[in-house]
Amino acid sequence: MKEYKEGAVQSVDRSLIILEELARHKNGCGVTTLANILGLHKSTTHRLLMSLLNRGYVKQDLETNNYSLGTKILLLAGSLLESMDLRIIAKPYIQDLANKTQEIVHLAVLDGEEAVYIDKVESIRANTIRIYSQIGKRVPLHCTGVGKVLLCDMDFNRVKALVKEEDMTYYTPNTITNHKDFEAELKKIKAQGYGFDEIEHEEGIRCVAAPIYDRYGKVIASISIAGPTIYITKERVPELVQQITETTKMISYQLGHFN
């Protein structure tokens, strides 16, 4: 039998207990089980269930007569998740990543035809590239780690509309400047779950990047570890890939992506 807190509105309290119990039972519960948990008569429990059913917070299986959570719960959960600030959620994770790697970490989102840094954690030894990036800085999509990762799960026809071939500016000898190679690059990133800026945007700078997913499995942001090639060597890349993908998985989980 559940205890009710003093000062609580009894019917509301009981309804919330019902929802909490249904959340614990994958196959739902019958009226008798819920009545026993609540310590109430079946008739009282049934009236509470009818109120929740009419509002869409509970549904009933017509074959078993068991009750389970209704789809209205998703509306409430969705509103909560959407109200969460990505920067606030991601901050401790990117801070930890910067501490572990001793390199700059960027958090970026897609904004129009560019990626924009919405947060950044400095590295005490990364002074050589500090002047090239700051929160609010906009960077190209076709030649940055964060930019390519943001596009990796997108239909390529939409990619071509965002990144026109004539706008794929040449920055270094490694910059991709045509759609054919760019499509192949994005497919590779999607398949492996991470990507690189292999000295494509700035001379001497290498980045490792990975996507952040929302609860629908959509790429909504990306993070990157950036630094001079003397620090981010090819020998370090496997270690950095593991660290950044672990970080993005944890952030995505906090945003409701459980895969």
Side-chain angles (χ1 to χ4, degrees):
M1 176 177 176
K2 292 285 185 178
E3 295 183 359
Y4 304 104
K5 294 183 178 180
E6 186 178 351
V9 178
Q10 198 174 63
S11 60
V12 174
D13 201 35
R14 288 168 172 172
S15 296
L16 293 173
I17 291 171
I18 287 175
L19 295 176
E20 290 171 357
E21 286 301 321
L22 292 179
R24 296 187 182 100
H25 294 81
K26 182 178 179 181
N27 297 319
C29 282
V31 177
T32 302
T33 301
L34 289 170
N36 290 335
I37 291 169
L38 292 165
L40 298 173
H41 291 296
K42 286 176 63 175
S43 59
T44 303
T45 305
H46 186 262
R47 286 197 298 272
L48 293 170
L49 283 166
M50 287 303 97
S51 294
L52 293 169
L53 184 68
N54 291 334
R55 300 293 295 180
Y57 293 106
V58 161
K59 62 182 179 181
Q60 185 179 25
D61 188 308
L62 297 179
E63 292 185 4
T64 65
N65 289 325
N66 280 354
Y67 294 89
S68 57
L69 294 180
T71 54
K72 196 72 168 286
I73 295 293
L74 293 175
L75 178 63
L76 299 182
S79 297
L80 173 62
L81 289 170
E82 288 172 0
S83 68
M84 292 179 178
D85 188 327
L86 173 62
R87 289 184 64 202
I88 293 174
I89 293 171
K91 189 68 173 186
Y93 296 101
I94 64 173
Q95 181 70 64
D96 183 60
L97 184 62
N99 292 341
K100 288 178 179 177
T101 61
Q102 298 186 342
E103 307 298 346
I104 285 179
V105 175
H106 294 109
L107 173 66
V109 296
L110 182 65
D111 187 25
E113 299 176 356
E114 296 172 302
V116 58
Y117 297 138
I118 62 170
D119 207 351
K120 173 187 179 182
V121 180
E122 294 279 5
S123 168
I124 58 172
R125 73 175 185 189
N127 296 327
T128 53
I129 66 167
R130 184 170 295 172
I131 62 171
Y132 295 111
S133 68
Q134 63 274 336
I135 296 173
K137 180 178 175 65
R138 308 174 73 86
V139 295
L141 297 172
H142 70 288
C143 59
T144 59
V146 290
K148 290 187 286 184
V149 164
L150 286 168
L151 301 179
C152 71
D153 205 34
M154 192 180 293
D155 180 84
F156 197 68
N157 286 326
R158 186 182 170 200
V159 172
K160 288 192 289 186
L162 289 174
V163 184
K164 299 176 179 62
E165 197 165 85
E166 60 268 27
D167 295 332
M168 297 177 75
T169 303
Y170 176 98
Y171 291 97
T172 77
N174 291 344
T175 305
I176 296 174
T177 57
N178 65 81
H179 280 162
K180 182 180 178 181
D181 291 340
F182 195 46
E183 183 176 18
E185 175 78 351
L186 296 184
K187 286 181 178 179
K188 181 179 179 181
I189 293 171
K190 181 178 180 179
Q192 63 191 15
Y194 55 87
F196 302 102
D197 167 359
E198 188 59 42
I199 321 170
E200 298 167 52
H201 186 217
E202 299 173 24
E203 289 287 356
I205 303 300
R206 178 177 286 123
C207 302
V208 181
I212 294 171
Y213 295 90
D214 67 7
R215 67 185 186 277
Y216 302 112
K218 177 183 176 183
V219 176
I220 59 164
S222 59
I223 62 174
S224 69
I225 303 168
T229 53
I230 58 171
Y231 296 136
I232 302 187
T233 62
K234 290 188 176 181
E235 289 73 23
R236 281 191 73 196
V237 164
E239 169 198 351
L240 296 177
V241 165
Q242 180 180 355
Q243 290 173 320
I244 198 170
T245 53
E246 287 176 354
T247 300
T248 52
K249 284 178 182 177
M250 289 188 288
I251 297 172
S252 298
Y253 184 86
Q254 293 299 319
L255 293 170
H257 182 70
F258 304 125
N259 290 340

